[in-house]
Amino acid sequence: MMNLRRTSKKQAKIKLALQGCAGSGKTYSALLLAYGLCGEWSKIAVIDSENGSADLYAHLGNYNVLPLQDSFTPETYMEAIGICENAGMEVIIIDSISQCWDNLLEYHANLQGNSFTNWQKVTPRINAFMHKILQSDKHIICTMRCKQDYVLNEKNGKMVPEKVGLKAVMRDGIDYEFTIVFDINMKHQAIASKDRTNLFMGKPDFTITPTTGEIILDWCNDGVNVDMIKQKINAARTIDELTAIYHEYPEWYQQLTSDFMQKKMQLQEEQNKPNINYNPNFIRYGNNVTTTCKN
């Protein structure tokens, strides 16, 4: 059943992507962002499919690394995310998700039969992987490789070739899945190509620092969270009020159902209690009691 509700800003966990050419600084920038988001290196995990590139920045702090050696299937990535979640990580960096897409393209190419209909065996797997990212209760930063090309730019009166990124190595339209997408150039500067927070859209190129992560964290923490909604449920005085609160946050039905049912039972019990009106048949004056008889 569809329910019309008023809009409200909710607290969230950021789902962010960094895309750029090799050497643009995606991994380094992701680590700085992650530290700004949680302020503790030990709460950061890097799922590393880039041949140990995450260990190159160990001087930054004591973060965690989960290497992916030979298997880059969506299922392997999903298992790795689960391991990081269960370990209590607050920020998960997936560096990178492009290998997952390459793995699926290779799988599709080796399938027998009609190439078009064979996508039915691929699409659900990449959808499940993206769903795992988007539904995680952790901040997740994904890096994506870009296809590279060279353009000629004038520098000091000479035409100099410069490497540029053209398109992320990932499924078309993948940027729609993320709250923020930063494009990083070869000068290690970022610009937002997609930004639902409106914090960076339209701003000039900038260098990512931990402060960038802190700004994003403030946006994430601005709004209501599950604990606030549970307090509203517990404060409800009628079943109608309780039901209205519950339907206001459909995306959190799973987390709220138990609290909702307990409060509903409590309100029903209070509603069904017998209403006893006690009228004494005497009037007390000081220490004397006068009995009144009803005819």
Side-chain angles (χ1 to χ4, degrees), residues 43-259:
K43 292 296 183 180
I44 299 170
V46 183
I47 298 173
D48 183 9
S49 63
E50 295 284 357
N51 298 315
S53 64
D55 290 312
L56 298 176
Y57 307 105
H59 62 280
L60 290 176
N62 191 28
Y63 54 87
N64 304 276
V65 179
L66 179 57
L68 300 185
Q69 300 294 346
D70 302 317
S71 177
F72 304 121
T73 65
E75 293 75 22
T76 302
Y77 276 90
M78 292 163 64
E79 181 184 357
I81 293 171
I83 291 172
C84 295
E85 290 174 334
N86 294 334
M89 298 295 105
E90 293 183 12
V91 186
I92 302 171
I93 299 171
I94 308 177
D95 186 32
S96 72
I97 61 174
S98 293
Q99 286 88 335
C100 179
W101 184 238
D102 286 338
N103 177 273
L104 288 175
L105 290 179
E106 182 179 355
Y107 168 75
H108 177 264
N110 291 328
L111 290 173
Q112 301 296 318
N114 185 282
S115 175
F116 181 78
T117 57
N118 281 341
W119 281 109
Q120 297 176 3
K121 301 176 182 178
V122 176
T123 302
R125 296 177 65 194
I126 190 65
N127 286 346
F129 173 44
M130 292 308 303
H131 185 266
K132 178 69 174 177
I133 291 174
L134 298 177
Q135 295 302 312
S136 176
D137 60 352
K138 310 297 180 183
H139 299 292
I140 295 186
I141 301 171
C142 299
T143 68
M144 297 186 291
R145 297 175 175 176
C146 277
K147 295 179 181 178
Q148 299 173 188
D149 201 355
Y150 287 86
V151 297
L152 291 175
N153 289 324
E154 185 177 351
K155 185 178 293 186
N156 298 325
K158 296 181 180 180
M159 301 304 293
V160 179
E162 184 174 321
K163 184 164 61 173
V164 295
L166 298 179
K167 183 181 177 183
V169 179
M170 195 53 185
R171 182 177 69 178
D172 287 344
I174 197 66
D175 52 329
Y176 290 105
E177 307 287 357
F178 295 98
T179 306
I180 302 175
V181 178
F182 285 134
D183 297 348
I184 305 181
N185 61 30
M186 295 308 296
K187 297 178 181 177
H188 314 307
Q189 293 179 323
I191 190 169
S193 58
K194 189 272 182 75
D195 180 16
R196 288 178 178 162
T197 69
N198 289 319
L199 295 171
F200 308 98
M201 188 59 71
K203 302 292 178 63
D205 296 3
F206 67 96
T207 302
I208 290 175
T209 68
T211 301
T212 312
E214 293 172 4
I215 293 171
I216 295 172
L217 181 64
D218 288 341
W219 180 87
C220 290
N221 291 339
D222 179 27
V224 298
N225 58 24
V226 173
D227 291 334
M228 293 178 183
I229 302 168
K230 288 181 178 180
Q231 291 176 7
K232 291 175 67 176
I233 287 176
N234 291 330
R237 291 175 292 181
T238 67
I239 292 178
D240 288 342
E241 181 184 351
L242 175 67
T243 304
I245 295 170
Y246 182 66
H247 288 309
E248 191 175 349
Y249 306 98
E251 67 275 31
W252 286 335
Y253 277 170
Q254 185 174 357
Q255 295 99 314
L256 298 175
T257 298
S258 176
D259 295 82

